[in-house]
Amino acid sequence: MKLGVCYYPEQWDESLWASDARRMAEMGLSTVRIAEFAWGLIEPRQGHFDWGWLDRAIDTLADAGLQVVLGTPTAAPPHWLVDAHPEILAVDAAGRTKGFGSRRHYCFSSDVFFAASERVVTAMAERYGAHPAVIAWQTDNEYGCHDTVVSYSPNALARFRQWLAANYADIGELNTAWGNVFWSMDCKRFEDVGLPVAMPAPPNPSHLLAFRRFSSDEVLRYNRMQVEILRRLAPGRDVLHNFMGFFSEFEHHTMGRDLDIATWDNYPLGHLEGTRIASEAERAAHRRTGHPDIAAFHHDLYRGVAGGRWWVMEQQAGPVNWAPWNALPAPGMVRAWTWEAFAHGAELVSYFRWRQLPYAQEQLHSGLNTPDNMLDTGGHEATAVARELQDVPVEATTRASVALVVDYTGKWAIDALPNSPDFDVQALQLAWYGALRRLGLDVDIVPASGDFTGYALVVAPTLAVVDAGLAGRLQRCGAHLVFGPRSGSRTSEMHIAAGLPPGALRSLLPGLRVVAVEGLRPGVSFPLEAVGAGFAGAASAQVTRWRDVLDVPATLGVEARYADGHAAIVRHGNTRYVSGWLDATGLDALMRQAAVDAGVPAEPLPDGLRLRRRGKLQFAIHYGDAPVRVPAPANARFVVGGPVLETAGVAAWWVDDSRTA
């Protein structure tokens, strides 16, 4: 468990570098990420490289005993490249070119940009691949940030047609797969297929889903090019990428197979205010602490992306600048967020950034130091964590008993044909995850392509695309299973599942049919009535946003109904199907009963308290307003904190009292 920082030596006078490096080391920081936006300085004109400043920066950090993560600088193409080749720029859905003047101004499908990226990454790796201070490489920076995965450029159109030709035997197969007989959309050749944009009526959802898959593959192709260069020229160094929160525009788990470490950029207050995932009440209640489950959800997600190794590459250290409202973190929260990442298995937490910049787009984004070079609140809290880490041993991450299943293709499928503006897949995933966490449960987040063996309880908030292979793996894993609305509703080509939804999941729920769906406008809800003891304790539970209307055979049990008589929750053996968007009350009752059935110990936690086990250490983080007592035995030996936590409090204690700390 180590601490790091993001640093931009090129943005500061060189006279500061040595003192910056010395102070970083004195604070207890060990790792520094640099250079991910420095292409224009590294290659000021095509083919001419200026390494002097970067040589000196790396050597200065190394002389202070610091290790370097070197970023490939491709997220910020220089002006000379755009000037010579404006065709590298992406095009938005309105046909407007995304111009030079900020960052991420490129199209993944541009062959010219691909070649220019190969050149600069190769040159960097040849120069620093064997440098003893450079321990890892970050590819690019935040792929897709600022809505830049999808491009509607001529380059994208040309490569999309090539992708279609590689994925369909001929144009006839495509026409059949997409149902192009509808509205006379049949094409005679792949060159007839356009981009799914700027049409008088909505595009074919099969066309949309194919384009989303293509766009994801373009990101993966581009990243793989960089990884292959780094593997060849920087052997033995870890290769990583910094993913983002609530971002699903490309297949993260597929990319993770090319990486050694998955990292992500954790901005708890920015993610709370900058997305509409949380409710208005949640945003107001947690505006200075962050939502109790958002950061943890992503920790558990990214722990599973690259085989278990993961970091926080950018950790919020104070107010950010990019959300609609940017609050000051509550005292102690920077420390709490850091410890929470370690509790979920992080190897390193790296703060953004070393010093707040007094100019350009991020001048209102805080760092560990203020612009006048004084240690800020986040810097003091990072220093406190560094001291505490000296007394806390590293424990291996504990495998959870509960898995939550996510699927990027399934999300794209629902996005292609939402049928309700309120059906947000990520919001539903967070709601189910939060219900599990309020019971004190550890959760592994597993892709639909993953291995479910060994889990006692597997939950899928929604899993739109399910084939027979996935259904079989779920059935054979032996876990108790809970599926949410719209699961098994679509084929891989965006058709209604054969025999009606839940499609292939009927091998687990024999005879079940979803005969209609209903998107519920704001203010409309359906109260639930429990049938028997399977949904006990949820007298005030409701469904909002969405419900599937079920035709339930007599062989399936009904655990809850709506007032109009339709089934809300059905069960067959160890499998449940939840037909609607349950509120928190309903989810709490459902998950508690599912955990009991699966033999997983679960007890509701005090408001705002969250737990995570790492090896023999049990961690507790408190997001609530009122003091709480952690669920530790009376004789617990604490290595961090104590039995009572205030807001932003952290505790960690040994769960095996025979263990010597």
Side-chain angles (χ1 to χ4, degrees), residues 216-232:
S216 174
D217 283 354
E218 289 293 86
V219 181
L220 303 183
R221 177 182 73 102
Y222 181 77
N223 182 73
R224 190 170 296 120
M225 170 269 291
Q226 296 205 17
V227 171
E228 288 173 352
I229 293 169
L230 296 171
R231 296 279 186 230
R232 176 167 51 89

Side-chain angles (χ1 to χ4, degrees), residues 286-319:
H286 299 295
R287 71 180 193 89
R288 296 190 65 194
T289 63
H291 189 286
D293 300 308
I294 286 178
F297 176 90
H298 289 92
H299 296 338
D300 290 335
L301 170 66
Y302 289 118
R303 189 177 62 251
V305 162
R309 295 190 63 196
W310 75 280
W311 299 355
V312 174
M313 182 52 75
E314 298 181 15
Q315 173 59 62
Q316 180 173 354

Side-chain angles (χ1 to χ4, degrees), residues 464-466 487-492 494-506 514:
V465 179
V466 180
S487 290
S489 60
R490 291 294 174 271
T491 69
S492 61
M494 276 302 293
H495 298 191
I496 293 175
L500 294 184
L505 290 179
R506 260 191 301 279
V514 177

